[in-house]
Amino acid sequence: ELILAGESWRLFSAIILQNSITCYVLTIASLIYTKTIERKTGFTKSFFLFILSGTYGYIASCLFDPRSITCGTTGALFGYFGMLHIELITSWRHINWKLKFIKYTVFICVFFVFGTTTYVDNFSHLGGLLMGVLFSLMLLPNVGIYGVRRVVGG
């Protein structure tokens, strides 16, 4: 209600706040785990992914659960996990994708279980994951039909 009343700054400030030590530790662990994103995409793209995923996560949270009060960077981190999953899908022939897929999925499941606690919102997680997937698909190069055959064929 406050965001709809004109306090849109709450969408951005919620991304940088933490509500507990446990959430802070999980955030640090997942940032260490997803540090390859900045190396591969550069600072600017990873920064925009973080901000867009976090903001879109809190927009989804406000739409689907308007009475709850949440904060934390987990929506933005789910954007990183969405990008990691898209990277696995696009380069599955070149890497050991099964082990990485299991690791990423376990991390996501841990956060979804953690999202059932107080002041942590799974709608934010889902919104951030969706924006991470969409942003990652936007970053993929445009490839014609012959290029797709070459990429898929190996």
Side-chain angles (χ1 to χ4, degrees), residues 34 37 55 60 63 66 87 117 141 150:
T34 60
I37 290 175
T55 304
L63 289 175
E87 179 189 17
T117 62
R150 188 178 66 234

Side-chain angles (χ1 to χ4, degrees), residues 70-86:
T70 60
C71 66
T73 60
T74 53
L77 292 174
F78 266 77
Y80 281 171
F81 283 117
M83 179 174 262
L84 289 172
H85 272 87
I86 293 297

Side-chain angles (χ1 to χ4, degrees), residues 11 37 51 63 88 100 108 114 120 128 134 137 142-143 152:
L11 287 173
I37 290 175
I51 296 297
L63 289 175
L88 283 178
K100 287 187 178 185
I108 287 174
F114 186 66
V120 181
L134 293 175
L137 290 173
N142 291 332
V143 182
V152 173

Side-chain angles (χ1 to χ4, degrees), residues 19 38 42 49 57 66 74 87 92 98 103-104 109 111 114-116 119-120 125-126 133 137-139 141 154:
N19 56 5
E38 187 176 355
L49 173 65
T74 53
E87 179 189 17
W92 67 275
K98 292 178 184 177
K103 286 180 186 178
Y104 298 157
C109 289
F111 272 106
F114 186 66
T116 60
Y119 300 119
V120 181
H125 296 168
L126 287 173
V133 166
L137 290 173
M138 184 183 75
L139 292 178

Side-chain angles (χ1 to χ4, degrees), residues 23-98:
C23 188
Y24 184 74
V25 169
L26 283 173
T27 299
I28 295 298
S30 59
L31 280 173
I32 291 170
Y33 193 70
T34 60
K35 65 185 174 186
T36 60
I37 290 175
E38 187 176 355
R39 288 186 198 145
K40 291 180 181 180
T41 62
F43 172 77
T44 306
K45 290 178 184 175
S46 65
F47 174 75
F48 279 118
L49 173 65
F50 189 84
I51 296 297
L52 285 174
S53 298
T55 304
Y56 190 77
Y58 283 107
I59 289 172
S61 176
C62 290
L63 289 175
F64 295 113
D65 195 9
R67 298 273 181 202
S68 69
I69 300 171
T70 60
C71 66
T73 60
T74 53
L77 292 174
F78 266 77
Y80 281 171
F81 283 117
M83 179 174 262
L84 289 172
H85 272 87
I86 293 297
E87 179 189 17
L88 283 178
I89 291 169
T90 57
S91 61
W92 67 275
R93 287 187 182 255
H94 306 289
I95 57 174
N96 185 6
W97 65 273
K98 292 178 184 177

